[in-house]
Amino acid sequence: MLALCLSALLLAGCTPQGDSGRRLLYIPILADASWLYADGAFISGVNLAVEELTREYAGAGLVIRTEVLDDEASYEEGVKNAAEVAANPEVTAVLNLQNFDVTKTTADMLAAAGKVVLFPYGAYDSLFTRDNPYLFCGVPSFADLGEAMAKYVQDAGLKRIAVYYNGVQSQEELVTAFELALFDSEAKVVDYVSSIISPSHFSTIDARWKALGVDGVVIAQYGLDPAFRVLEIIRQSNGEVAIIGEPIFNRANALAVYKDVAEGMVVPSTLVLEESERLEAFRERYRQKYGHEPDIWAVQGYDLVRLVVDTAVHLDTTDPARIAQGMHSEAGYQGVGRLIRFEQGGALQVDVDKLPMLTCRDGQFL
């Protein structure tokens, strides 16, 4: 398909920009660089995509450029970086991996400047309910995740659920959807907890849960390290209760540290990968370049960069408005891992019944 798109572009002819006749697709990545590179999977997928696209589309006079703009996990720095990107006429699209409270501010700023904005790791569901044509979520909504977790609870025969969540908007969206999906089922939420700060603090909560007959715990905690600390505290006191977490737990670098406490917990996958020769060929190229297996976030980085660039090439444009319109195509975009389609407001189209639940075994969610 890509070869056909490129051939069509070359036959149609490229409209040169400037004296060089070369056209720029600049896709900066807004993120906390230390977090991004610590895991490494997503940025590795991005870099592989850029390398391959540069080679494939060299004859089309296309220059593809990405770079990480580090916000150092600072709200102020994140907003500042986004403002500079919004004001830069060279920017076509943005991969926004900022803190969700930052993206709540920067999403509208970037979209108002006419930039295509993709959220590879998600953002608050409310961003995608306003029919903004420039915003695109790369993962299921928190409501979808909550529904998938509720389906797992029912299928597993769990009946009495305690919910730990720390009150951040995304966790509220997930937990609300989770409880609504349990309505009229035998499973019930019997306790909510918003803070677990230490083993001694948890001892009282654990005693209450045992008295209530809790057989499953949902953990919806914003922040990777705090999420694993809460999990560790619960596991130390109660190693038998089933634990269902949100996808934040599925991070390779953190699992290497918390391998034992994560064993056996279940999380919903954020990507429904479709096994194919195309996906296996990607895995082989990734292994040859990096020397290890790609995870879902490597696939995500690769596919989202290709989504923007392949759409631009197919439409023979670097205009963000036209690219955004093309990304809303009902036919969707066939990536190496899945067919990607978006709702009108930019939410990812998801069949919750097909969203896999992954169990942690020996430091990997499978």
Side-chain angles (χ1 to χ4, degrees), residues 30 66 72 92 102 125-127 134 139-140 145 149-150 183 196 255 257 266 273 294 312 315 327 366:
L30 299 177
T66 63
E72 300 176 349
T92 305
V102 181
D125 289 359
S126 57
L127 288 182
Y134 289 99
V139 294
L145 296 175
M149 292 162 79
F183 190 70
I196 297 176
L255 283 170
V257 177
V266 176
L273 295 185
L315 297 174
M327 287 168 55
L366 306 169

Side-chain angles (χ1 to χ4, degrees), residues 33-98:
S34 63
W35 167 81
L36 184 66
Y37 286 107
D39 182 80
F42 179 83
I43 193 66
S44 294
V46 167
N47 290 338
L48 180 58
V50 171
E51 178 183 301
E52 293 181 359
L53 287 162
T54 298
R55 185 166 57 247
E56 289 175 32
Y57 294 149
L62 200 61
V63 177
I64 302 151
R65 178 184 163 209
T66 63
E67 67 174 320
V68 177
L69 302 181
D70 184 12
D71 62 24
E72 300 176 349
S74 160
Y75 178 89
E76 292 78 9
E77 194 67 20
V79 173
K80 173 176 167 262
N81 288 350
E84 291 174 355
V85 166
N88 187 344
E90 293 188 326
V91 172
T92 305
V94 181
L95 298 178
N96 194 321
L97 284 74
Q98 294 176 314

Side-chain angles (χ1 to χ4, degrees), residues 9 47 53 55 60 126 145 172 178 189 203 262 294 331 333 343:
L9 177 63
N47 290 338
L53 287 162
R55 185 166 57 247
S126 57
L145 296 175
E172 291 176 348
F178 173 80
V189 175
S203 62
Y333 172 80
E343 305 286 355

Side-chain angles (χ1 to χ4, degrees), residues 125-200:
D125 289 359
S126 57
L127 288 182
F128 309 104
T129 60
R130 300 175 298 189
D131 294 341
N132 190 317
Y134 289 99
L135 303 182
F136 298 89
C137 190
V139 294
S141 67
F142 283 97
D144 288 335
L145 296 175
E147 187 178 340
M149 292 162 79
K151 184 176 182 300
Y152 172 82
V153 162
Q154 294 174 72
D155 291 345
L158 302 174
K159 297 291 192 293
R160 301 180 68 76
I161 310 301
V163 173
Y164 169 85
Y165 79 114
N166 66 336
V168 176
Q169 181 180 333
S170 55
Q171 278 58 48
E172 291 176 348
E173 292 168 342
L174 184 152
V175 167
T176 298
F178 173 80
E179 186 160 17
L180 286 173
L182 291 181
F183 190 70
D184 279 342
S185 77
E186 293 184 10
K188 303 295 179 187
V189 175
V190 297
D191 195 27
Y192 277 101
V193 176
S194 61
S195 177
I196 297 176
I197 58 177
S198 67
S200 59

